[in-house]
Amino acid sequence: MASPRAALPPGLIVRTGKFVWNTMWHTMMSQMAPRSTSGDYTRPQSAFRGRDISPEPHRHYLIVGMSCPWAHRTLITRALKGLQATVDVITVYPSTDEGRWLFDLNQADVPFAECRSLPEFYRRAQSDYVGRATVPVLGDRQTQTIINNESADIIELLNHEFEPFATGPDLYPEALRPTIDQLNEQIYATVNNGVYRCGFAQTQAAYDQAVSELFATLDQLDDRLATQRYLCGAALTLADVRLFTTLIRFDVAYHGIFKCNRRRIADYPHLSGYLADIYQLPGIADTCDIEAVKRDYFGNLFPLNPGGIVPIGPGWEGLKAPHGREQL
Ligand SMILES: N[C@@H](CCC(=O)N[C@@H](CS)C(=O)NCC(=O)O)C(=O)O
């Protein structure tokens, strides 16, 4: 029989472990999530903000990762505008070890054929580029440039600049712009980016602030959606596209990994129906890869989930259930 080993004093193990882990955690978080002095997550600005488009079939492409809510905005807008045969899509995958997006080299039409990763691609498009290599990207095959890498701009460009080929409705109508812009501003700060502010907070105070703003807005939006089908009334707009991509990730990812857990979207009577309603619109379910969302958030945000274990639940059958919102 093996003789029992002398145990290390638990206090020492705990103190050493905490010191090592906290040092590592702050180092990794400062790379992944730049913070203000108060520990609040501060998202870097997008660098490519071009708006010059000459629409032609297959000239432009989007680079997207299926788990990314910002990239998802562009896929939905492309689907709602009927631009699938005009604007191409190239999908990238997160590398678990390298903290960057990778191309699938078997995909025939990667621009700059020999690029393996998105940072290489950004540098091929602009050799002195030093910022983050993020999705989505709107690129131009003809000029071999990145036109824009800010999802808020790209969805406006998809809405307007491809008119000769678009079949879908105007998602940013002139008359509704002030309302859409106002909603976008609040929803971006407290919901779209708000969930990241909860998950990437590096102090309790920063988390408390972000989480209370997040749920205050969700409560307000639930009330708003009690009497109208979409955020601006009977017709879906870009404000809905932007809210939807956060809501669909909420219960499966943000509620757990980002600690956005005062409530689930499933617990909100109107937001839950609204989510199902948009999910069931033609072309939308094809843009949603919920398993990729779970896999990438839980599997790749190492500092938030070092074991990389992906939870089993929750199910998302509710998205396919009747919602009755056509009556509104
Ligand atoms: N402001 C950008 C944000 C895009 C963004 O943060 N994308 C993430 C994926 S969800 C990304 O590609 N991150 C890679 C990195 O930061 O290195 C937008 O809305 O387009």
Side-chain angles (χ1 to χ4, degrees), residues 163-196:
E163 266 328 286
F165 305 99
T167 53
D170 185 1
L171 301 169
Y172 191 39
E174 203 72 47
L176 292 176
R177 284 188 189 184
T179 318
I180 297 174
D181 292 347
Q182 205 182 355
L183 282 162
N184 284 347
E185 199 178 319
Q186 183 193 4
I187 293 173
Y188 172 79
T190 58
V191 180
N192 303 138
N193 198 41
V195 293
Y196 284 86

Side-chain angles (χ1 to χ4, degrees), residues 190-315:
T190 58
V191 180
N192 303 138
N193 198 41
V195 293
Y196 284 86
R197 288 174 53 219
C198 295
F200 289 168
Q202 291 176 56
T203 61
Q204 184 70 48
Y207 166 78
D208 291 346
Q209 178 73 26
V211 88
S212 85
E213 289 175 15
L214 166 65
F215 283 97
T217 300
L218 290 179
D219 292 351
Q220 239 181 54
L221 294 176
D222 195 62
D223 289 345
R224 185 181 184 99
L225 291 165
T227 50
Q228 57 188 49
R229 186 167 176 186
Y230 299 117
L231 288 173
C232 295
L236 184 140
T237 67
L238 290 183
D240 299 293
V241 172
R242 295 167 50 130
L243 177 58
F244 174 82
T245 67
T246 299
L247 294 187
I248 197 166
R249 285 160 178 74
F250 202 96
D251 293 357
V252 294
Y254 305 144
H255 185 272
I257 196 156
F258 284 174
K259 306 187 180 81
C260 299
N261 59 2
R262 204 185 84 190
R263 258 190 219 134
R264 301 170 307 161
I265 299 304
D267 302 323
Y268 280 101
H270 309 297
L271 278 173
S272 57
Y274 166 84
L275 176 60
D277 182 3
I278 299 181
Y279 180 80
Q280 292 171 29
L281 293 175
I284 302 299
D286 289 343
T287 67
C288 304
D289 187 344
I290 295 171
E291 290 309 319
V293 169
K294 277 174 60 168
R295 192 189 57 225
D296 290 358
Y297 276 92
F298 285 98
N300 285 312
L301 293 179
F302 175 81
L304 300 184
N305 191 33
I309 291 177
V310 180
I312 191 167

Side-chain angles (χ1 to χ4, degrees), residues 26 69 114 137 154 207 237:
H26 283 296
E114 57 285 17
V137 169
I154 299 175
Y207 166 78
T237 67

